[in-house]
Each structure stands twice: as C-alpha cells, then as structure tokens.
Amino acid sequence: MTNAATQSKPLHIGNAARLGMEAALLASRGLEASTLILDSTPGCSGFSAFYNYYLPQALPSPEEQDTRFLLEDQDIAFKCFPAHLGMHWLADAACSARELLVNTVGGFHPSMIQSILMRIPLSKYINRPFPESEHQARHSFQFNACTALLDGEVSVQSFSPAFLDRPELLGLLSRVRVEHPQDNPANFNKMYAEVLLTLTTGNVLKGRCDTFLWTLDTLWSCDSLLKKFRANAGAVLPGERVEAIIDAVENIEDMQDCSHLTMHLESRAS
C-alpha cells in the first residue's frame, strides 16, 4: 500500500502479468525449475524462506467437493472514468448535489457556492486537497467532487493539464471541508459519500451515493460503453479505425481468426 496512488502501483501489476506470461512461455519451451518452490519443505528455501508466515495448504480437488472460484461469482464492473474506484461514489454524490442546485435556482455558477462539505471514509492517500499532477488528481476526493460540480461529469479530459489549473476549479477546491463519519468505513462494500453545498443564500443541498453503480447489469448500457471506448480509443486512433474495431468486436463470433481485429489495433506510428 506504500505505492498506492503512485505510478509504481500499476507498473507492478503490469510487470507481474508480464512475468507470469514469460514464465508460462519459458515452461512451455522446456525450461526446468524446482517443483517445491511453493511448498513448505525442510531444507528447501522456497517461498517460505522470505515469508515465515507462509503456510501452504492443499486444495481439495474438484472431484472431492463442489469448488467454485471467486472469479466465477464476481460481477463485471466498468469504471466511468480513469480514477481510483472510491472517486466514483463522490463524483456521483457531487453530480446529485449539482442537479439539485440547477433545479433549485435554474442554473449553475461556482459563485453560488459558499462552502462544500464532503463526508467520506478516512483514507489518507486519496485525501488530496490540491493535487498537483494528473496522477494525484486521479486519487483526490476533492478534485473529483469539485470537477463533477463544475462540469456535471468527470471524464478522461478532466485530468488533462488544461483542466487541472482552471481558476474556477481551484476556487471550489479552496471551499472544501472534509469529515470522516464513524459509520463510513474505507470499504467498497460499506462506504458512502455525501456532498453538502452551502449556498450564498444560506440554503444547504445534499447529494449522496451509497453504492458503486457502474456495473454491467445496472447503469452501464451498451451505448455508455461505446461512448467511453470512443473517447479513449479516439485519443490514439482515427475515427474510422475506432468504428472498425467496434464492428469487429461486435461480430467476433463470426470471425475465422482475429487478424481483422488486430489489424485495426496497430498504433498510429505504424
């Protein structure tokens, strides 16, 4: 967790996947290694040599009992925008508060807001009042809430340098106050987010989000997924190739091989 909210965390994940693939390919070509590396065997300095609490246990075979893997039961979730997962609760709450403001006064302007109170879980590495980089912004409760208030959404473009330094955004960030209620743990299954706007008129408007909504079978429609893909892929590929990829994926069951798809995935430089 020391590397959480740094660029090293995704690098470590990608490197682990790369090394796993490399190990599988080497093994398929006959490279040999110790078969006891994951066993707790006297005289064998395997995994337990560095982790003295490592106590491997044999898993029952599928024939012995009805075993299911976690991945078989987990739902598929899609992030609405490229930021820490907890940011989605807060952005949703901020959008709800903004909608209330628009419906109350008929419009929105940052000057209408006197102060912003955020009730969020206690999580130090994503409590960043004034992020100074794109990566810090992706891990800032304050930035994502204020961006959602200002724009009515958080998108890929929200983390660009031009959007980070907007005077209107910095003004909203300076009005933020944070609370950590005891009943709001840093747990994706139990947390919630509240955004309370105190207006210059004295009125208080509250937006709240209790759950992560962006799952395959709830808020995300096919159109929403296509919109996100076009926005992301369009940053590196021309529009006609983006549409060709969409068409290939939608008809992938009818393909004899994947060459038609991979042809459109080549980088711009090629």
Side-chain angles (χ1 to χ4, degrees):
M1 288 301 294
T2 302
N3 274 314
T6 72
Q7 292 178 323
S8 289
K9 181 185 176 184
L11 176 65
H12 286 167
I13 296 169
N15 198 39
R18 181 185 69 84
L19 291 172
M21 177 64 76
E22 182 179 307
L25 291 173
L26 289 171
S28 72
R29 286 160 172 76
L31 183 73
E32 296 180 357
S34 170
T35 59
L36 301 176
I37 195 68
L38 295 178
D39 295 328
S40 183
T41 305
C44 176
S45 298
F47 198 68
S48 57
F50 297 96
Y51 300 94
N52 56 15
Y53 53 82
Y54 176 69
L55 297 173
Q57 299 179 13
L59 289 173
S61 66
E63 292 77 18
E64 294 176 13
Q65 68 180 49
D66 184 18
T67 303
R68 289 184 63 82
F69 292 98
L70 179 63
L71 288 176
E72 295 182 76
D73 298 318
Q74 281 187 326
D75 193 8
I76 298 173
F78 297 91
K79 284 186 174 181
C80 181
F81 53 93
H84 183 279
L85 187 59
M87 304 301 107
H88 294 69
W89 272 262
L90 202 65
D92 188 78
C95 285
S96 296
R98 186 185 197 276
E99 185 177 358
L100 283 174
L101 176 56
V102 171
N103 292 338
T104 300
V105 302
F108 175 86
H109 193 276
S111 62
M112 300 174 179
I113 301 174
Q114 179 175 307
S115 64
I116 304 167
L117 172 62
M118 294 171 16
R119 292 178 177 150
I120 52 177
L122 178 60
S123 188
K124 293 182 179 179
Y125 76 96
I126 46 180
N127 182 6
R128 297 168 180 259
F130 293 95
E132 298 179 352
S133 69
E134 173 186 337
H135 199 73
Q136 289 182 10
R138 297 181 193 275
H139 297 79
S140 167
F141 275 131
Q142 292 88 338
F143 175 86
N144 287 276
C146 289
T147 296
L149 285 173
L150 188 60
D151 301 326
E153 64 174 358
V154 180
S155 66
V156 175
Q157 289 72 30
S158 299
F159 303 99
S160 64
F163 278 62
L164 282 173
D165 297 326
R166 291 179 292 171
E168 302 89 348
L169 179 62
L170 296 175
L172 287 176
L173 287 171
S174 68
R175 298 171 219 165
V176 171
R177 183 166 57 91
V178 171
E179 289 182 355
H180 306 294
Q182 292 292 321
D183 66 341
N184 196 2
N187 183 303
F188 290 142
N189 294 322
K190 300 177 181 179
M191 67 175 282
Y192 64 86
E194 287 185 347
V195 175
L196 285 80
L197 307 180
T198 299
L199 308 184
T200 54
T201 60
N203 293 340
V204 178
L205 304 175
K206 182 176 77 172
R208 178 177 171 120
C209 179
D210 293 285
T211 185
F212 178 62
L213 296 176
W214 315 100
T215 57
L216 183 61
D217 57 353
T218 54
L219 191 60
W220 271 95
S221 64
C222 182
D223 288 342
S224 298
L225 287 172
L226 290 175
K227 179 181 178 181
K228 177 178 180 178
F229 178 75
R230 288 186 175 103
N232 290 346
V236 294
L237 295 173
E240 63 273 12
R241 287 175 64 181
V242 173
E243 296 305 315
I245 293 170
I246 292 172
D247 181 71
V249 171
E250 289 181 339
N251 296 282
I252 199 167
E253 292 89 350
D254 301 323
M255 289 185 185
Q256 297 300 315
D257 59 64
C258 289
S259 60
H260 180 66
L261 173 60
T262 56
M263 173 181 64
H264 298 294
L265 292 173
E266 297 173 358
S267 66
R268 287 184 298 180
S270 63

